[in-house]
Amino acid sequence: MELAYYSDYAVRLVNTEEPTREKDSLTSVEVIKDLFGSASQMARRVTEADLSRFRSVRARLRAVFTAADEGDHTTAVDLLNSLLLEFPVSPQISGHDILDEQGRPRWHMHLADHASNATAGYAAISAMGLAFHLTEFGADRLGLCQAPPCRNAYLDTSTNRSRRYCSDRCATRANVAAYRARKRLEATGRTAENSQEASTPTDR
């Protein structure tokens, strides 16, 4: 499994909350299990106690995205380093489950899970995946959606570092809002011109 894959774990967890809308979907053990995706072995260890722990890790991961989005890359790295220290991982070479055309293993790095609980395991792979993405592509590739009121986290993988929204839906919504704002401004300008012309006395 590629290390970059693990960065999606951080995004998925952060986006279970919409602070500006006061919405939180992290409300049950089943929701947490769904966050693990294909990592079913780790998900089996989830208990009710993980709910509060997951919310704590989520807040810390969001703080990393917030700092990076605001251009404070040093703080983003410091926050991420604190997570890496608290939730260490054990990298291992794997390949038995992925074979090439000749039936030989395709060796790749895998993050082994030896954590004491589900939260620690999830936090470890999330932090490591995010760290890999940051060091490989840059801290400015971590962002928060610019379409109000959405503030979902995203990882910018565009070739020209141009991503500003978490999804096509938010991008479309932002473009429509900008278009309508321009039209309102133009209409206001035309109204002001007409009013000025009407109030200007004409020569007789």
Side-chain angles (χ1 to χ4, degrees):
M1 189 178 292
E2 296 293 337
L3 291 182
Y5 167 85
Y6 291 106
S7 59
D8 289 334
Y9 280 74
V11 173
R12 290 205 296 268
L13 177 54
V14 170
N15 291 346
T16 59
E17 181 186 32
E18 298 179 70
T20 56
R21 291 178 172 139
E22 297 184 350
K23 291 183 178 181
D24 186 351
S25 62
L26 196 61
T27 57
S28 69
V29 166
E30 291 306 315
V31 172
I32 295 178
K33 287 181 178 180
D34 288 342
L35 288 172
F36 282 96
S38 60
S40 56
Q41 282 190 320
M42 297 172 65
R44 292 194 195 104
R45 300 208 309 265
V46 177
T47 67
E48 289 289 340
D50 286 300
L51 275 169
S52 60
R53 293 195 291 247
F54 260 71
R55 291 190 185 109
S56 176
V57 171
R58 180 181 63 186
R60 294 172 67 181
L61 286 171
R62 176 171 282 278
V64 174
F65 278 93
T66 299
D69 187 68
E70 294 174 351
D72 190 353
H73 298 168
T74 299
T75 296
V77 169
D78 288 343
L79 292 171
L80 192 49
N81 274 335
S82 68
L83 282 165
L84 291 170
L85 286 171
E86 186 173 345
F87 303 104
V89 296
S90 301
Q92 291 183 351
I93 299 173
S94 182
H96 60 276
D97 53 341
I98 304 177
L99 305 179
D100 62 18
E101 293 77 7
Q102 286 74 42
R104 296 172 301 190
R106 288 186 176 177
W107 302 115
H108 57 274
M109 292 301 296
H110 176 80
L111 300 184
D113 174 32
H114 303 303
S116 58
N117 58 66
T119 302
Y122 196 98
I125 59 178
S126 296
M128 188 63 191
L130 209 54
F132 176 82
H133 192 95
L134 186 151
T135 53
E136 184 74 7
F137 304 108
D140 58 340
R141 294 288 190 149
L142 279 58
L144 294 174
C145 187
Q146 299 301 302
C150 181
R151 293 296 281 165
N152 275 352
Y154 66 83
L155 299 171
D156 185 3
T157 56
S158 64
T159 55
N160 57 356
R161 300 173 183 265
S162 61
R163 185 170 179 179
R164 295 294 178 269
Y165 307 104
C166 68
S167 64
D168 290 339
R169 180 181 179 183
C170 275
T172 299
R173 185 161 55 82
N175 290 333
V176 169
Y179 172 79
R180 289 175 177 170
R182 286 195 301 270
K183 288 299 181 182
R184 285 195 297 270
L185 187 60
E186 291 172 4
T188 301
R190 286 194 297 269
T191 301
E193 289 177 3
N194 293 336
S195 298
Q196 186 175 7
E197 290 175 0
S199 63
T200 301
T202 56
D203 295 332
R204 299 192 178 188

